[in-house]
Amino acid sequence: MTDYLKYAIDLVAVLLLALGIKGLSKVRSARGANQLAAVAMGLAVIGLLVNYVGVPTFNTQAWSWIVGGSIVGGVLGVITAQRVPMTSMPETVALFNGCGGMSSLLVALAAALEPIALDATGPVALVSIVVSVFVGSITFTGSIVAMAKLQGWLSTPPWMQSRLRHVVNIALAVAALVGAIEMVRTTGGATGLWLLVVASSLLGIGVTLPIGGADMPVVISLLNSYSGVAAAAAGFVVGSQLLVVAGAMVGAAGLILTQVMCNGMNRSLVSVLFGGALGASSSSSAGGGEYTNITSCSVEECALTLEAAERVIIVPGYGLAVAQAQHTLREVTRSLEAAGIDVTYAIHPVAGRMPGHMNVLLAEADVPYEQLKEMDVINPEFPATDVVLVLGANDVVNPQAKTDPNSPLYGMPVLDVQQARTVFVVKRGMSAGYSGIKNDLFDLANTSMVFGDAKKVLGDLLVELKDLGVGK
Ligand code: NAP
């Protein structure tokens, strides 16, 4: 009876997870989808508890571990989610991936060290333990390194930039393989197991440490996929169909996201993983020469142009998130809309520092979902637009990506903002974006720079618009 109940709970949990992942693909349904996935996780825990009903020796002990672990994990999750600022989300995701990898590693280790308790005998269980330990260790150490690098706690040692790192990593991979073979040969022998654990953990560090800050979010997405693979393997180890299915879904979703990010940044996965550091630089005009035709204007001039516009497109970027200016922006756009001006937001797939960064930021400020338009949809609309307001965005509006085959950005899909009648770029100075190169947009005749912190500029703009009577 309990078996049927557990299968029923698992089945519902899997369905909710699948619906959750599907819902995440649309801004409108993403919040609800996340809640569905959380309910699925809750059901998974309940299913586990039901599993132990009627198993006398495990009852109290297993129940208290499961309930205790869920409470501690849940409280830590809530505290983290509430405290972490949006700009630190990639580090947080890396940490969560690391926890996922570590869980799979620990489950596999427990099974290997106490095979009877976890019913881990037989070739399928043995191979699953090997995969779970290997991928789980790489995910755990790689994610911790990724988080530490993004936080600025770790930098790449010079020898890691050289080809020597490939030799070291290959040696570690061979050592892991030897450990795996030895473990299978001796049916779970400790020597092979620990060689596999140590070599794979070091491999995770060796592969992630040389990767530069600019590519790190791609690596985090890949590690997310690995954490799914490790969980699926752990599912085979403990005989949990739910874990197998959920892990496979996370693995596939992470891989697709990695591909989307690589396309959005115009990087191949091979060059991300083996190309070494492509550091985020903030030096101005590192590629493509000096600026020759910069025009700057006051907030008042910007307000006057906006007052006369019929159609305005907002382009949010990383600087908007740093300035936490989304709420002030919403007040500005409310004034414009009240004056009958058509306002939409152009969302580039990799604007900010993680996919969906801008969607979440604008949703936080109650921007209606239907006003957010993806790059492919909005690009044809720029020629018919009066004013584009670029707020703390840089690389994602650089025309060099389409015009200069020698540019490091060449081939990256960008927003064609230069086709609008007037473009205002709000940023603090002339420093470069993530790629570290000059932006040809700033030199164009129809572009005016409005220098200042995005929140301050938008606050001043709101005052100017009110003085002009816009939206009253
Ligand atoms: P960006 O190219 O990094 O440019 C951000 C701009 O914001 C900077 O030029 C900076 O100029 C300005 N800024 C910073 N603080 C500001 C503030 N307080 N107020 C006003 N402006 C401020 O940003 P993006 O256009 O959003 O492009 C994203 C970049 O990140 C792309 O290169 C993308 O490939 C990369 N990336 C994205 C992802 C992802 O998944 N989304 C992942 C990895 C990498 P000043 O210093 O002069 O103000």
Side-chain angles (χ1 to χ4, degrees):
M1 181 62 193
T2 49
D3 273 0
Y4 287 121
L5 184 59
K6 185 181 176 324
Y7 286 135
I9 293 175
D10 280 3
L11 194 63
V12 175
V14 166
L15 285 174
L16 290 183
L17 264 184
L19 285 174
I21 290 186
K22 186 171 186 299
L24 285 175
S25 63
K26 295 260 181 318
V27 179
R28 182 178 283 283
S29 52
R31 203 181 285 259
N34 218 7
Q35 284 160 355
L36 275 188
V39 172
M41 290 304 292
L43 280 179
V45 174
I46 294 172
L48 207 58
L49 290 173
V50 168
N51 203 29
Y52 286 115
V53 173
V55 183
T57 39
F58 277 131
N59 257 352
T60 355
Q61 222 186 3
W63 272 58
S64 48
W65 276 108
I66 295 167
V67 172
S70 306
I71 292 173
V72 172
V75 169
L76 284 178
V78 169
I79 294 175
T80 317
Q82 280 176 342
R83 296 211 170 161
V84 168
M86 267 312 294
T87 42
S88 301
M89 217 32 112
E91 289 94 310
T92 315
V93 175
L95 187 65
F96 285 167
N97 289 343
C99 291
M102 186 179 62
S103 314
S104 306
L105 169 66
L106 291 179
V107 166
L109 274 182
L113 296 173
E114 216 173 327
I116 298 158
L118 282 162
D119 192 20
T121 42
V124 173
L126 210 52
V127 172
S128 306
I129 289 173
V130 168
V131 174
S132 197
V133 168
F134 179 66
V135 185
S137 304
I138 291 182
T139 310
F140 172 52
T141 54
S143 300
I144 299 302
V145 168
M147 185 203 70
K149 285 201 79 172
L150 283 176
Q151 281 287 93
W153 296 337
L154 258 187
S155 56
T156 314
W159 72 268
M160 271 280 183
Q161 312 266 20
S162 71
R163 284 178 193 279
L164 181 62
R165 73 176 194 277
H166 295 311
V167 178
V168 173
N169 286 339
I170 289 170
L172 287 169
V174 170
L177 183 67
V178 170
I181 293 171
E182 176 64 11
M183 204 190 131
V184 174
R185 195 184 64 81
T186 55
T187 327
T191 317
L193 174 67
W194 290 115
L195 177 61
L196 178 62
V197 172
V198 173
S200 340
S201 301
L202 290 176
L203 186 60
I205 299 174
V207 171
T208 318
L209 201 53
I211 295 172
D215 287 332
M216 208 44 100
V218 181
V219 175
I220 289 171
S221 169
L222 190 66
L223 287 167
N224 178 245
S225 169
Y226 287 177
S227 72
V229 174
F236 279 108
V237 174
V238 293
S240 162
Q241 289 91 337
L242 177 61
L243 204 52
V244 174
V245 178
M249 279 197 276
V250 172
L255 211 56
I256 293 169
L257 182 61
T258 308
Q259 193 55 45
V260 168
M261 287 171 80
C262 281
N263 292 344
M265 295 168 68
N266 196 31
R267 302 270 287 142
S268 75
L269 190 55
V270 173
S271 76
V272 168
L273 291 179
F274 303 108
L278 175 86
S281 158
S282 58
S283 64
S284 77
S285 57
E290 297 296 318
Y291 289 104
T292 53
N293 188 32
I294 294 296
T295 312
S296 72
C297 78
S298 65
V299 174
E300 190 185 354
E301 287 170 79
C302 178
L304 283 167
T305 315
L306 282 170
E307 184 199 17
E310 284 179 13
R311 192 171 151 60
V312 172
I313 295 181
I314 310 287
V315 178
Y318 179 68
L320 185 79
V322 174
Q324 283 295 295
Q326 64 275 24
H327 297 287
T328 324
L329 169 66
R330 182 66 188 121
E331 287 182 58
V332 168
T333 53
R334 275 207 179 100
S335 297
L336 297 176
E337 284 161 17
I341 299 167
D342 177 53
V343 180
T344 38
Y345 300 76
I347 308 297
H348 188 281
V350 295
R353 290 293 180 266
M354 52 181 267
H357 198 167
M358 296 301 121
N359 305 66
V360 176
L361 199 76
L362 297 175
E364 203 184 300
D366 287 331
V367 171
Y369 298 134
E370 47 285 345
Q371 287 185 1
L372 310 187
K373 294 203 176 171
E374 302 289 329
M375 180 176 62
D376 295 338
V377 175
I378 202 130
N379 261 346
E381 298 182 15
F382 284 111
T385 300
D386 301 306
V387 179
V388 171
L389 206 50
V390 179
L391 298 165
N394 197 335
D395 293 344
V396 299
V397 291
N398 194 338
Q400 250 185 45
K402 285 187 176 163
T403 56
D404 182 358
N406 298 317
S407 168
L409 283 186
Y410 189 68
M412 172 172 162
V414 285
L415 294 161
D416 299 325
V417 295
Q418 72 283 357
Q419 294 177 354
R421 191 169 304 150
T422 307
V423 181
F424 291 109
V425 178
V426 177
K427 65 201 292 286
R428 296 162 308 173
M430 290 306 296
S431 56
Y434 216 49
S435 66
I437 64 165
K438 178 192 169 195
N439 191 334
D440 287 351
L441 172 74
F442 304 164
D443 261 342
L444 297 179
N446 59 337
T447 300
S448 291
M449 310 297 293
V450 185
F451 290 117
D453 172 80
K455 193 170 186 173
K456 167 89 176 63
V457 170
L458 286 167
D460 293 348
L461 190 58
L462 193 63
V463 174
E464 291 292 344
L465 289 172
K466 283 204 173 123
D467 286 353
L468 290 169
V470 175
K472 269 193 180 157

